[in-house]
Amino acid sequence: MRLHSLRLQAFGPFARRHTVDFDALSADGLFLLHGDTGAGKSTLFAAICFALYGLPPHERNMRLRSDHAPADLLTEVTLELTLAGKRLQIRRIPAQKRPHLRNSAELVDQKAETHLHQWVLDEHGHGRWEGVIKSHREAAEEIKSLLRLTRQQFCQVVLLPQNEFTKFLRADASERRILLGTLFGTRRFGLIEEFLANRKTLTAKTRDEARADVLRLAERIKQAAGDDLEPAQIAPRADDPATLTAPARAWASALHHQALTRQYAADAATETAEQQLAQARLTEQAVRDLHRLQQAHRTTAHELDLLYEEATRHDLLAERRDRAVKAQQLQSVLETAHTADREHTRALDEDSRARALLPPEHTSLDAAGLTHAAQQLHADTGAVQALLPDEATLQRHTAELAALDRERQQLTETLTDAQQWLNALPQRRADLAARLEAARSAQETSRELTPTLNLVEKQLEAARRRDALDQQISVAHKVLSQAEKDSEQAAKTYIDIRRRRTDGIVAELADRLVDGEDCPVCGSPTHPAPATAQPGQPTAADEQAAEAAHTRAQQSENKAKEALAHLNEQAATARGEAGGDTPLADLTAHRTALEQHLADALSQASDAGPASEQLALLEKEQAETEHTRNTATARLGAADATYDSLHTQREELTHRLATALNGHATLADRITALTQHASRLEAAAACAATVTTTATDRHSAAALAEQAAHAAGFTSPAEASAARLPDDELTAIDKEITHWREQRLVLTARLAEPELQAAITQPPADLEHAVTELNTATTTHTRTAALATQAADRTTTLAALTAQLDTQIQRLEPLEDAYRTVDHLHGLISGSSPSNQLRMQLESYVLAARLEDVVDAANTRLSRMSHHRFTLVHSDDRAARGAKSGLDLKVLDAWSGHKRHTDTLSGGESFYVSLALALGLADIVTAEAGGQALDTLFIDEGFGTLDEDTLHQVLDVLDSLRAHDRTVGLISHVPELRRRITQRLYISKNIDGSTLTHLTEAAE
């Protein structure tokens, strides 16, 4: 397996499109992947695993979709590699959300996709990618068949993530056997063991089935024999297989002999009972015939009397049948009239419904007018359809302008960021030297910012209350203003009513005058011309109600003033706590700035480590930033020109389409509205024409039905319809009349038969006595015959079962011998037999030899890495508690001279011992003729656990791999690796996602 390139987009921390050229990185056989913590170094290896298997490395719960990626950029991984001599391209898109094609604000589900392509050459030697598979399942099967490693095995021997590096070293024998068997293709030896195990299981199953068949036959023989047969031999038993052969034959034969003797005695008793039964049957039949004839005469006479009683009813039925036949002859004429009336009514209803859907100006038109209006609308529809290309162009220009606007904004931001970065470059150089001191002072700064931030939080809360109270005060002012207006209006009303009542007080006094009584004003007892009240003259009650309304209005005004004063007091308090009238947005911005300042201080306190590394990269970043600025400037100018041109075209199209839209959102909506209106007009025209036609048909059909009814003797078509009968009822009446007549003739002839006349002259037959005698004889015969039949059946059954038993015993005997043979062979091959002293399986025995080769290859590197201290040792000692043996690994410590278990190694020791083992495994697998060549190996972290000398030894070993056409990729933060390895892939993290940089020189 050799990797060529990896392309990924919107994957993990990588927000944009990025490409890793493994062919370039593998030029020296060794490359380094390094960068900021959390930038996404391990994500590249996760992308490789995802491309191959559709899942990231196990035990990695990672989010595939980048949180920084644009919504319209799909998460995607494409891997090119050579596998088993085939150059493949694997492209995978995981399930995710994406914007709708027509409505970018709406998210829809994007299904997972898998595309597998192969590089093929045509007859002219020209290469091209040819699609092979699009199905997830088929792609998985194809890759698995070529790579021959599961995802877990791939992570153990090729892709070694963090915390997974030592799994193969510390794996137990069964796990190590699975991996080695896959790599070295020793499955055929395991298949031998599986074949013997299956053969043993199958033979045991067949033998047990044969035993069960013998036992089932023995049980059937025992049931068939019953409890009255007791042979001297012992019956077969399941707990004693020895009784299932010859003893079973003798037992079954004895039971059959006893059953045959019992059968002969039962046959003799049955013959005597059969003679007695024949005589009883003759006597019973003679008596039964006489009783039948006498009963038939009585029944026939009674039935004939009943028929004569129904004569009148059948005359009425005949008359009803004749009228129904006449009415049935008019059926077609009546149905035609009824159908014509129904069609006309339905046409009127449909016309009414169709006109209800039309606008008022079309409801009164006739069929021709409706058709003409529909044709005009179709002409308008054609004119609007001609503008559809312009609308599509307008939509395309709008989308392109939006895309250009986003691009210009991004370019402006890029240009601004680049210029800001370049402006800050001198200061950054100076700042890098002072960052350590700044980190120490950042803690003190954070302590000073905390009380200030708390104070701003209180001011922010007070400002929120102040603004809320200001809004309430504004409302209170309106309430007060309205209350003052209401109070003023109530006062005016009260004064007006009081004035008008005062002016009309004379009418009130005149209303109280009584002839003959003195006037309270002038004292005269006569009242020749008393004043009269004017229309609408207010009364005392009106004056009192106006006064009460004025009082309530004044009270509402006072309450509004008090509420306003209370709110003003609360607002003043909140304003003082908020520090005046500082806007809420300014306080929020101030708090955000303080929080950011505090976060920056805390971040700066931990900023001692990366300072030296960033200084080395500063010069390179300057060149890249200047290039970015220049490129963004050129692209921004081109985008501005394109934007202006498209904007002018869009304005022209918008003006051109405004009239055609006629208030609709799109031309399609306008076309739909016109089409629907035209369709309704055409439907209404068709309904109007149908009404005219059905009216004429109804009149003609009604006249014809009236004439036909009179001709048939009916007063009206309604009377003729009422006389009709359903066909089944008419048929039933006819059958009933015919059947009555036939029955009368049959019964009369039956009474005249000679045998009935002769039987009625004889004494009554005693059938009950004859039946009792026959039943007694029948019971006796049935019992003896049943006993004879049971005896014969038992004899026959026992004979057949005995023969079947002999056949099953002949089948069982060779199966017992075959099972003993295959059980012995399986025990030897699987290591479970005492004869296999090492308890080693056949496949493990073969793999043990391969593991010895792997250990030898690993020790050539482990000796250098460990300064000749450690040596891997393969052990085929028997495992404890009966476990399978043959694939154990131990470490020989030259300092102590003792063998150690692999789990006793320290972290650093486990790292380079596992590394040596992995390299040795790759060597042997590649050299093995039937194995998968592993040309690429990835190592994720672990070098930080090594001391300086050991690290140099490990790097020397890794350098030596370059001579063997193998590639090793490393992930590490160790500075020594950056100085030793020239091919490096640097990953930097930013606020908008991580980026990749291929470096080709060793770091200073």
Side-chain angles (χ1 to χ4, degrees):
M1 182 194 74
R2 179 173 293 278
L3 305 181
H4 299 294
S5 67
L6 173 68
R7 295 190 299 275
L8 65 163
Q9 63 183 31
F11 189 87
F14 299 98
R16 302 294 179 178
R17 296 182 178 90
H18 298 277
T19 301
V20 180
D21 188 351
F22 283 110
D23 288 334
L25 281 174
S26 306
D28 296 336
L30 187 66
F31 66 89
L32 174 66
L33 185 62
H34 66 105
D36 303 332
T37 300
K41 299 182 292 297
S42 300
T43 303
L44 292 181
F45 295 160
I48 295 173
C49 187
F50 173 73
L52 290 172
Y53 296 97
L55 291 171
H58 66 291
E59 300 180 5
R60 287 290 306 277
N61 186 18
M62 68 174 294
R63 176 182 170 87
L64 299 181
R65 174 70 180 171
S66 175
D67 294 329
H68 305 286
D72 57 349
L73 186 64
L74 288 179
T75 297
E76 179 181 326
V77 175
T78 303
L79 178 66
E80 291 187 17
L81 74 164
T82 297
L83 195 61
K86 298 181 179 180
R87 180 147 182 167
L88 303 176
Q89 182 188 78
I90 308 169
R91 176 171 169 259
R92 290 188 186 268
I93 300 176
Q96 57 194 287
K97 295 285 187 181
R98 63 169 178 81
H100 196 281
L101 295 179
R102 292 184 295 274
N103 183 8
S104 60
E106 179 184 354
L107 295 180
V108 297
D109 291 328
Q110 166 68 43
K111 295 183 179 180
E113 297 181 10
T114 300
H115 303 273
L116 181 62
H117 294 77
Q118 183 177 348
W119 184 258
V120 296
L121 298 177
D122 56 18
E123 62 276 8
H124 304 294
H126 298 148
R128 59 182 175 84
W129 289 110
E130 183 177 278
V132 180
I133 292 171
K134 290 185 179 180
S135 165
H136 301 296
R137 181 182 58 81
E138 293 178 357
E141 293 176 354
E142 177 68 14
I143 294 171
K144 184 178 179 181
S145 65
L146 296 175
L147 191 56
R148 289 187 287 177
L149 291 174
T150 65
R151 181 165 57 100
Q152 290 77 10
Q153 294 168 345
F154 180 80
C155 293
Q156 283 185 334
V157 299
V158 178
L159 178 61
L160 306 176
Q162 299 179 25
N163 303 322
E164 299 286 336
F165 201 68
T166 60
K167 273 196 171 182
F168 180 71
L169 177 66
R170 296 178 178 176
D172 58 23
S174 60
E175 294 174 347
R176 199 174 284 134
R177 172 191 171 187
I178 294 173
L179 177 61
L180 291 175
T182 303
L183 293 174
F184 290 109
T186 58
R187 180 59 181 161
R188 60 189 182 278
F189 301 105
L191 292 176
I192 296 175
E193 180 182 343
E194 291 180 7
F195 168 77
L196 290 175
N198 294 335
R199 185 62 178 271
K200 174 183 174 181
T201 302
L202 181 60
T203 305
K205 180 180 179 181
T206 307
R207 180 206 61 187
D208 293 341
E209 290 175 352
R211 287 181 177 178
D213 290 341
V214 171
L215 290 171
R216 280 195 295 271
L217 286 171
E219 185 64 26
R220 290 176 60 187
I221 291 172
K222 187 184 298 184
Q223 292 176 356
D227 298 334
D228 55 335
L229 299 183
E230 298 181 357
Q233 287 79 4
I234 299 175
R237 300 198 315 272
D239 58 349
D240 186 5
T243 63
L244 301 180
T245 53
R249 288 193 184 94
W251 170 77
S253 298
L255 286 177
H256 178 256
H257 180 72
Q258 291 186 29
L260 190 61
T261 301
R262 300 286 180 88
Q263 179 185 352
Y264 293 153
D267 289 342
T270 301
E271 186 177 355
T272 301
E274 186 174 0
Q275 295 174 357
Q276 296 174 354
L277 176 61
Q279 183 60 39
R281 283 176 176 168
L282 292 174
T283 302
E284 188 271 344
Q285 184 62 41
V287 175
R288 182 176 295 279
D289 291 342
L290 178 60
H291 178 268
R292 176 178 57 77
L293 292 173
Q294 292 175 347
Q295 184 65 29
H297 184 274
R298 289 192 294 270
T299 301
T300 303
H302 177 70
E303 291 177 353
L304 186 59
D305 292 339
L306 293 176
L307 285 177
Y308 278 112
E309 291 176 359
E310 297 180 356
T312 302
R313 175 175 170 275
H314 281 83
D315 291 341
L316 295 176
L317 284 176
E319 181 181 356
R320 184 182 176 193
R321 179 192 60 184
D322 294 341
R323 285 178 59 83
V325 170
K326 292 180 179 180
Q328 191 172 14
Q329 294 173 354
L330 301 177
Q331 178 178 358
S332 60
V333 177
L334 296 176
E335 285 295 333
T336 300
H338 180 67
T339 301
D341 183 70
R342 186 172 60 250
E343 290 296 327
H344 182 64
T345 302
R346 183 168 65 248
L348 289 175
D349 292 341
E350 291 178 354
D351 182 68
S352 231
R353 287 195 296 270
R355 291 181 181 272
L357 299 176
L358 301 179
E361 62 271 16
H362 293 151
T363 53
S364 60
L365 295 177
D366 57 6
L370 292 172
T371 302
H372 179 67
Q375 291 173 352
Q376 289 181 343
L377 288 178
H378 282 306
D380 294 343
T381 302
V384 175
Q385 286 177 336
L387 295 176
L388 284 175
D390 290 343
E391 184 183 42
T393 303
L394 177 60
Q395 294 175 351
R396 186 172 64 255
H397 285 353
T398 301
E400 291 174 355
L401 284 172
L404 281 173
D405 194 51
R406 290 193 298 270
E407 181 181 3
R408 291 194 307 165
Q409 184 178 358
Q410 293 175 356
L411 289 173
T412 302
E413 293 175 355
T414 302
L415 187 60
T416 301
D417 293 342
Q419 189 59 47
Q420 288 177 351
W421 190 93
L422 291 173
N423 293 339
L425 180 61
Q427 185 62 37
R428 287 186 62 185
R429 288 195 181 96
D431 289 345
L432 286 175
R435 276 169 62 175
L436 182 59
E437 181 63 24
R440 293 174 179 173
S441 63
Q443 186 176 5
E444 182 64 22
T445 301
S446 65
R447 286 196 293 267
E448 294 174 358
L449 288 174
T450 301
T452 304
L453 183 59
N454 293 336
L455 176 60
V456 172
E457 287 283 355
K458 294 179 180 178
Q459 291 178 339
L460 188 59
E461 179 61 27
R464 292 193 185 98
R465 287 190 286 109
R466 177 199 66 197
D467 293 348
L469 288 169
D470 287 342
Q471 294 178 359
Q472 296 178 22
I473 288 171
S474 178
V475 175
H477 274 297
K478 295 179 181 178
V479 173
L480 177 58
S481 177
Q482 184 62 40
E484 289 174 347
K485 292 179 180 178
D486 293 342
S487 177
E488 180 181 358
Q489 182 62 37
K492 291 180 180 179
T493 303
Y494 171 56
I495 293 171
D496 179 71
I497 290 176
R498 187 172 182 180
R499 179 186 56 77
R500 290 165 57 201
R501 183 169 178 267
T502 302
D503 294 339
I505 196 67
V506 177
E508 286 188 21
L509 291 175
D511 188 63
R512 299 174 188 169
L513 294 177
V514 178
D515 291 337
E517 294 182 2
D518 296 338
C519 175
V521 177
C522 65
S524 174
T526 61
H527 316 293
T532 57
Q534 299 297 323
Q537 178 69 34
T539 64
D542 294 333
E543 182 180 358
Q544 292 173 0
E547 183 181 8
H550 180 218
T551 302
R552 289 194 299 271
Q554 286 180 331
Q555 291 174 351
S556 298
E557 180 181 358
N558 294 334
K559 288 181 181 178
K561 289 179 179 178
E562 292 174 359
L564 179 58
H566 181 66
L567 290 174
N568 284 328
E569 182 180 354
Q570 290 181 330
T573 302
R575 188 169 283 102
E577 293 176 357
D581 291 326
T582 305
L584 181 63
D586 294 345
L587 289 174
T588 303
H590 187 200
R591 183 192 62 177
T592 303
L594 286 175
E595 289 175 344
Q596 184 62 39
H597 192 188
L598 178 59
D600 292 341
L602 294 174
S603 176
Q604 190 176 13
S606 61
D607 192 29
S612 59
E613 183 176 352
Q614 292 183 11
L615 186 61
L617 293 174
L618 196 59
E619 294 300 330
K620 185 177 183 302
E621 291 178 356
Q622 177 185 1
E624 293 175 351
T625 305
E626 289 176 347
H627 177 72
T628 299
R629 179 189 61 185
N630 297 336
T631 303
T633 300
R635 291 178 59 191
L636 181 59
D640 288 340
T642 304
Y643 184 89
D644 293 339
S645 175
L646 287 177
H647 180 73
T648 301
Q649 296 177 27
R650 183 182 66 175
E651 291 301 320
E652 294 175 354
L653 289 173
T654 301
H655 178 72
R656 187 187 308 165
L657 294 175
T659 302
L661 288 172
N662 194 22
H664 291 81
T666 64
L667 290 179
D669 295 340
R670 177 73 192 284
I671 291 172
T672 300
L674 290 173
T675 303
Q676 291 177 348
H677 192 181
S679 298
R680 290 169 183 166
L681 288 171
E682 291 172 346
C687 291
T690 303
V691 167
T692 303
T693 302
T694 55
T696 303
D697 295 343
R698 181 185 65 171
H699 179 73
S700 300
L704 183 61
E706 186 75 21
Q707 180 181 359
H710 288 301
F714 296 102
T715 60
S716 66
E719 182 182 354
S721 297
R724 289 172 57 193
L725 291 175
D727 291 342
D728 54 350
E729 185 176 354
L730 186 62
T731 302
I733 291 174
D734 193 42
K735 287 183 177 179
E736 183 178 354
I737 294 173
T738 303
H739 178 71
W740 181 82
R741 293 173 179 173
E742 291 174 352
Q743 284 293 103
R744 187 179 60 180
L745 294 175
V746 169
L747 291 176
T748 302
R750 177 66 172 158
L751 284 176
E753 291 179 359
E755 59 179 2
L756 293 183
Q757 296 295 325
I760 199 65
T761 61
Q762 298 183 22
D766 190 359
L767 181 62
E768 183 177 357
H769 176 73
V771 170
T772 300
E773 292 295 328
L774 177 61
N775 289 341
T776 301
T778 301
T779 301
T780 302
H781 177 266
T782 301
R783 183 177 65 255
T784 56
L787 292 175
T789 301
Q790 291 176 0
D793 291 343
R794 180 169 64 179
T795 302
T796 303
T797 302
L798 288 176
L801 292 176
T802 301
Q804 295 178 23
L805 180 66
D806 183 68
T807 301
Q808 293 299 330
I809 290 174
Q810 294 177 8
R811 172 172 170 256
L812 174 61
E813 291 173 345
L815 289 175
E816 294 282 2
D817 296 336
Y819 176 78
R820 286 191 291 270
T821 301
V822 74
D823 179 57
H824 177 67
L825 290 175
H826 178 261
L828 288 175
I829 295 298
S830 65
S832 60
S833 172
S835 301
N836 190 335
Q837 298 179 358
L838 293 177
R839 299 187 63 81
M840 186 182 296
Q841 297 170 277
L842 177 62
E843 185 177 5
S844 299
Y845 179 79
V846 176
L847 289 176
R850 297 292 187 273
L851 185 57
E852 289 180 354
D853 297 336
V854 172
V855 168
D856 291 341
N859 283 332
T860 59
R861 298 185 176 92
L862 179 58
S863 178
R864 295 175 57 190
M865 293 182 184
S866 64
H867 299 282
H868 304 284
R869 177 183 178 183
F870 293 125
T871 303
L872 281 170
V873 178
H874 165 244
S875 172
D876 55 6
D877 295 338
R878 290 184 57 178
R881 294 183 294 276
K884 298 297 186 290
S885 308
L887 298 176
D888 193 15
L889 285 178
K890 292 184 179 179
V891 177
L892 176 62
D893 190 341
W895 290 5
S896 64
H898 296 291
K899 295 179 181 179
R900 299 166 52 182
H901 290 288
T902 55
D903 54 6
T904 63
L905 297 172
S906 67
E909 293 170 346
S910 297
F911 171 76
Y912 63 72
V913 171
S914 301
L915 177 58
L917 185 60
L919 295 175
L921 180 63
D923 288 342
I924 300 303
V925 169
T926 303
E928 178 70 23
Q932 170 65 50
L934 303 178
D935 301 325
T936 306
L937 180 67
F938 295 103
I939 304 169
D940 190 355
E941 293 297 354
F943 295 94
T945 61
L946 306 178
D947 58 73
E948 185 176 356
D949 292 340
T950 305
L951 176 61
H952 282 290
Q953 294 295 331
V954 170
L955 289 178
D956 289 340
V957 171
L958 293 177
D959 282 338
S960 67
L961 296 176
R962 306 180 187 188
H964 297 85
D965 195 22
R966 184 175 299 150
T967 300
V968 178
L970 310 177
I971 290 181
S972 181
H973 292 287
V974 178
E976 180 62 24
L977 293 177
R978 295 197 292 275
R979 289 191 290 270
R980 291 281 300 267
I981 300 175
T982 58
Q983 296 292 338
R984 293 181 290 124
L985 191 63
Y986 174 70
I987 300 180
S988 60
K989 62 180 180 180
N990 300 286
I991 191 171
D992 55 352
S994 299
T995 58
L996 297 170
T997 304
H998 182 190
L999 306 177
T1000 57
E1001 295 182 0
E1004 293 297 333

